[in-house]
Amino acid sequence: PNARIKQGADAYRAAWDKAKDSPWRKMRPAAEPILGSVRMIVVAETDAEAQALIQPAHDRWYQSLEKLANAFGFRALFLAPTFEIAQRVGYVIAGTPDTVRAQLAKHIEESGVNYLLVQLAFGNLTHDQQMRSLKLFAIEVMPKLGAGATVGA
């Protein structure tokens, strides 16, 4: 979906530039609009450990999210229906700090976003797993991503 996100980001930037003299822009005088994306992330000491944690966590999160929708006979079509699809399209990222950083850098470059919202607590991850992932992300990933994007958790 990086290419699809880039299409939207480029269209938004074009509209942003076109509306540069709009009175509404006075409320947001920045030269560049904030364009973001959300990614579920697990950071661990090894890629294998991160992969082993993220799939069941994603599946539990998805089941919980879909429970109410399914009770009323519909699905949340904006979500990838399986972990494999979510991983393939980049909605979930798991690995060592180097792996996660490389995947996020690629996402930022290819999609044109400048704001990342990372979801580090989801599904059946324990508090300790979440905190370890957060610590690795904060110390090893975020500072080395560069100034090209703002990261929110």
Side-chain angles (χ1 to χ4, degrees):
N2 285 346
R4 286 188 66 198
I5 294 170
K6 180 140 180 57
Q7 287 175 337
D10 289 348
Y12 192 94
R13 279 188 177 93
W16 178 266
D17 290 341
K18 185 176 179 183
K20 68 179 179 229
D21 296 322
S22 166
W24 296 106
R25 282 285 300 278
K26 289 183 169 79
M27 292 184 273
R28 179 76 179 134
E32 169 108 340
I34 296 172
L35 301 168
S37 65
V38 179
R39 294 294 176 262
M40 289 182 156
I41 295 175
V42 171
V43 188
E45 284 75 18
T46 68
D47 288 339
E49 179 187 2
Q51 288 295 324
L53 291 172
I54 200 167
Q55 181 165 1
H58 172 273
D59 290 349
R60 177 67 174 110
W61 169 84
Y62 184 82
Q63 290 166 1
S64 296
L65 196 61
E66 284 285 283
K67 183 175 177 54
L68 187 58
N70 291 337
F72 287 97
F74 64 92
R75 295 193 52 227
L77 297 176
F78 59 90
L79 298 172
T82 67
F83 172 78
E84 290 76 17
I85 293 171
Q87 188 170 42
R88 186 175 68 240
V89 299
Y91 293 149
V92 297
I93 297 172
T96 65
D98 288 340
T99 299
V100 170
R101 186 173 45 256
Q103 289 183 27
L104 286 174
K106 179 181 178 187
H107 170 62
I108 292 166
E109 182 180 331
E110 291 180 356
S111 68
V113 300
N114 57 13
Y115 185 89
L116 294 173
L117 180 60
V118 296
Q119 193 171 347
L120 296 160
F122 55 92
N124 63 356
L125 293 172
T126 67
H127 179 72
D128 288 342
Q129 290 166 337
Q130 295 167 10
M131 294 308 293
R132 189 175 78 223
S133 185
L134 172 61
K135 183 177 180 181
L136 288 168
F137 186 84
I139 294 170
E140 300 291 331
V141 177
M142 203 164 70
K144 298 174 185 174
L145 259 181
T150 301
V151 180

